[in-house]
Amino acid sequence: MSSLETPERTRVFPVIGLEVHAQLQTRSKMFCPCPVTVGDEANAATCPICLAFPGTLPVLNREAVTLAMRLALATGSEIHRDSRFSRKNYFYPDLPKGYQITQYDRPIATGGGIEIDTPGGSRTIRLTRIHLEEDAGKSLHDTPFADVPSTVSLVDWNRAGVPLCEIVSEPEVRTAEEAASYLTELRRLLRFIGVSDADMEKGNLRCDANVSVRLSEDEPFGTRVEIKNLNSIRFVAKAIEHEIERQAESLRRGERIVLETRLWDEKSSRTVPMRGKEEAQDYRYFPEPDLGALRIDDAWMSEAAATMPELPRARRARLLAAGVPASDAETLTSARELADYFEQTAALASTRLAANWVTGEVLRWMKERRISAEDALSFPVSPARLAGLLRMLEAGEISAASGKEVLAAMIDSPAEAAALVTEKGLGRISDAGELDRVASEIVASSPGQVALYRSGKTATFGWFVGQVMKRTGGRADPSSVREAITRALETDNG
Ligand code: ADP
Ligand code: MG
Ligand code: ZN
């Protein structure tokens, strides 16, 4: 074969499917009254049910079901009025019962999709299913206790029994960037509708990526590799990128891809084998005998649909239509609270100015303090007060530079913008008399520049403008300044 054919032969077409686990925002666990806690003392949030004492029975958390239904409604999935729970059997120290209660052959919802933006336009990645399940506990291999030898592992069951929903996509994602967009969109959606805080750093949103490659888009799908242990969207993209390349290399060498589970190793920036097909576990799923059918009636359906907010993409489209620039509309809809803050401001001031200042000054201040967009409504300057400042800017009563100074002062004080502008003397100098005085002083004290200007170096005019601006702290209106300098140069007779 000629070398010219090689690049053509080894070009690969990736196929990606994502499995996401989202922790549901409930107060208590899936099957017992234990609280869902963060950072509590190990094993403080446990009871005989989540520790699997003999004779205990699970009681389904109604709120967890309602939240999964909300997600299903938001993704256009079909909610099944009659779904079931199964036992997934495997042995692991952080799994007290020796099985996990999950939904298997009859999940709560199927179908629907997540719409993502791609360079070629928007596209919907269809969902296979959404189902409910309980989380496992956590094994601590590096124990924090001095008196525990390093060969010993400890278990914290606080997380055991915490409600999760699993969202499985069809194998329709085609690139690492699309996978990142899918996760970004899903995370934003989960937060918008109050289903999960979807914090990947805390492990409240976890993703497994299934990747295969094929040599042409007409071929059937290739053997997939599942990558686990991905705890940020950036790592998901990096791991997929790497895995596509690794599989392409294997095909180039004429090898077969083996069905296996790999882990992303951030240190070496590559995926490493975890377990192969032979080691794949046989979960021996069977119906959970301790829970009845999960039946959903019309009243429950309406309850889940009630107070459903406008979804992020619809909201973004509405902001775009109102004249918000595309990148600002994207930023402003990253969280419902931020979009609320913006819209409350824009209702009382110019939309464009509001978009500009909220995505600029307001977000910058929040980011510097590591305040998340979800907490936008706690920004110390209320939308009404910010709007007051924006109206002064719009009317040309203050300069943008003064506006920033006033906003900084408003953050530390309950005062309105107008009061602070007066207090700090930041109002525009529109008084022609004052500008004439400043311009004449500068002209009189700069004979060199005046001579240059008169010799035909008209660019020197800009120097005079700069001087007046400097002297007035940027508070003068540029066109009034030019007029004042023209008058000063005319009346100056050397
Ligand atoms: P399992 O439960 O064993 O993980 P599933 O059939 O539920 O298996 O598939 C899990 C994920 O793998 C889904 O997101 C699906 O889209 C994806 N997937 C299935 N086949 C392929 C493939 N050939 N290449 C890439 N992803 C795939
Ligand atoms: Mg899987
Ligand atoms: Zn419990």
Side-chain angles (χ1 to χ4, degrees):
M1 144 174 351
S2 84
S3 61
L4 280 176
E5 283 174 332
T6 311
E8 200 47 48
R9 194 178 66 87
T10 53
R11 172 160 184 216
V12 295
F13 296 85
V15 170
I16 302 155
L18 301 168
E19 293 167 272
V20 173
H21 286 91
Q23 182 179 317
L24 297 168
Q25 241 165 35
T26 55
R27 278 186 306 272
S28 58
K29 291 187 183 179
M30 190 70 145
F31 302 113
C32 68
C34 287
V36 171
T37 54
V38 213
D40 252 29
E41 190 195 338
N43 296 309
T46 53
C47 74
I49 298 173
C50 55
L51 290 178
F53 280 24
T56 57
L57 290 170
V59 176
L60 181 59
N61 182 333
R62 200 172 179 282
E63 180 63 10
V65 179
T66 308
L67 292 177
M69 286 163 70
R70 268 173 94 77
L71 176 63
L73 288 170
T75 51
S77 306
E78 184 192 347
I79 295 174
H80 299 292
R81 301 300 190 114
D82 182 353
S83 72
R84 305 293 163 102
F85 287 93
S86 292
R87 288 188 182 179
K88 180 179 180 179
N89 299 278
Y90 63 98
F91 175 77
Y92 208 73
D94 61 18
L95 192 71
K97 294 192 286 287
Y99 60 83
Q100 177 194 29
I101 303 180
T102 180
Q103 291 192 301
Y104 180 55
D105 50 352
R106 301 190 58 181
I108 187 165
T110 51
I114 304 282
E115 197 185 344
I116 61 167
D117 296 315
T118 72
S122 76
R123 196 156 91 68
T124 298
I125 305 297
R126 287 180 303 154
L127 298 183
T128 312
R129 56 194 272 140
I130 295 175
H131 72 244
L132 286 158
E133 62 185 33
E134 60 176 336
D135 208 345
K138 255 185 205 160
S139 298
L140 302 165
H141 301 298
D142 299 310
T143 67
F145 308 107
D147 55 340
V148 177
S150 61
T151 48
V152 170
S153 287
L154 299 176
V155 190
D156 175 6
W157 283 300
N158 280 350
R159 208 178 64 183
V162 163
L164 301 178
C165 73
E166 179 169 343
I167 304 120
V168 182
S169 87
E170 289 287 306
E172 294 181 344
V173 176
R174 291 291 172 264
T175 63
E177 299 80 65
E178 283 186 9
S181 305
Y182 173 92
L183 289 172
T184 307
E185 198 65 54
L186 177 56
R187 182 178 61 184
R188 173 168 77 158
L189 188 63
L190 286 163
R191 290 176 178 167
F192 245 77
I193 62 179
V195 164
S196 173
D197 78 358
D199 189 332
M200 283 188 102
E201 257 174 56
K202 290 191 198 135
N204 296 346
L205 189 75
R206 283 167 258 163
C207 173
D208 300 337
N210 294 270
V211 180
S212 66
V213 299
R214 47 187 174 162
L215 298 173
S216 97
E217 279 173 314
D218 312 320
E219 273 180 24
F221 292 162
T223 304
R224 73 188 156 106
V225 163
E226 184 183 40
I227 316 167
K228 290 194 173 285
N229 211 17
L230 300 165
N231 47 24
S232 80
I233 294 181
R234 200 168 57 87
F235 290 170
V236 172
K238 277 171 78 176
I240 290 175
E241 203 80 73
H242 168 274
E243 183 58 24
I244 291 170
E245 196 40 48
R246 191 190 67 83
Q247 291 185 19
E249 276 296 329
S250 287
L251 293 184
R252 266 171 217 145
R253 287 194 300 264
E255 297 166 7
R256 276 166 177 260
I257 308 298
V258 287
L259 181 63
E260 63 178 349
T261 299
R262 298 176 72 90
L263 292 176
W264 172 245
D265 179 49
E266 177 53 22
K267 275 197 212 86
S268 63
S269 247
R270 60 199 188 95
T271 61
V272 294
M274 178 185 163
R275 59 167 180 252
K277 176 76 178 159
E278 325 67 84
E279 304 149 75
Q281 316 193 18
D282 173 7
Y283 295 121
R284 289 177 298 116
Y285 282 98
F286 65 84
E288 167 58 67
D290 292 341
L291 288 166
L294 168 52
R295 295 224 163 79
I296 295 164
D297 59 14
D298 289 344
W300 201 351
M301 285 290 267
S302 328
E303 186 190 325
T307 70
M308 181 73 81
E310 183 181 25
L311 300 182
R313 294 180 75 87
R315 196 153 185 184
R316 187 182 68 176
R318 193 162 53 73
L319 295 192
L320 280 172
V324 175
S327 68
D328 288 352
E330 180 64 25
T331 307
L332 292 169
T333 51
S334 62
R336 196 179 62 211
E337 296 79 0
L338 181 62
D340 288 345
Y341 182 91
F342 161 72
E343 288 205 88
Q344 288 168 25
T345 307
L348 305 168
S350 134
T351 298
R352 276 187 167 262
L353 266 183
N356 193 280
W357 281 69
V358 174
T359 57
E361 291 304 298
V362 174
L363 270 189
R364 190 179 52 74
W365 187 89
M366 287 172 51
K367 277 195 188 127
E368 278 169 11
R369 284 155 190 81
R370 303 185 147 275
I371 297 170
S372 75
E374 275 78 22
D375 292 320
L377 292 167
S378 67
F379 182 64
V381 180
S382 68
R385 281 209 300 148
L386 177 62
L389 173 66
L390 300 184
R391 284 195 302 269
M392 294 189 77
L393 279 160
E394 204 183 352
E397 292 165 32
I398 50 171
S399 67
S402 303
K404 287 182 187 174
E405 198 180 329
V406 175
L407 183 61
M410 291 173 87
I411 288 169
D412 298 324
S413 126
E416 295 294 332
L420 288 165
V421 167
T422 311
E423 184 187 313
K424 293 177 164 290
L426 288 171
R428 279 266 198 223
I429 303 169
S430 46
D431 174 12
E434 191 179 345
L435 285 182
D436 280 336
R437 188 180 52 73
V438 175
S440 308
E441 266 172 38
I442 289 167
V443 166
S445 60
S446 323
Q449 300 289 338
V450 174
L452 270 177
Y453 178 74
R454 296 216 193 289
S455 71
K457 294 238 184 315
T458 48
T460 319
F461 193 82
W463 180 85
F464 287 108
V465 174
Q467 291 302 303
V468 175
M469 283 300 192
K470 210 159 140 192
R471 195 77 80 77
T472 54
R475 291 184 299 122
D477 166 53
S479 68
S480 311
V481 170
R482 278 191 289 274
E483 285 163 21
I485 293 166
T486 308
R487 281 193 293 273
L489 287 167
E490 274 164 10
T491 49
D492 176 72
N493 31 38

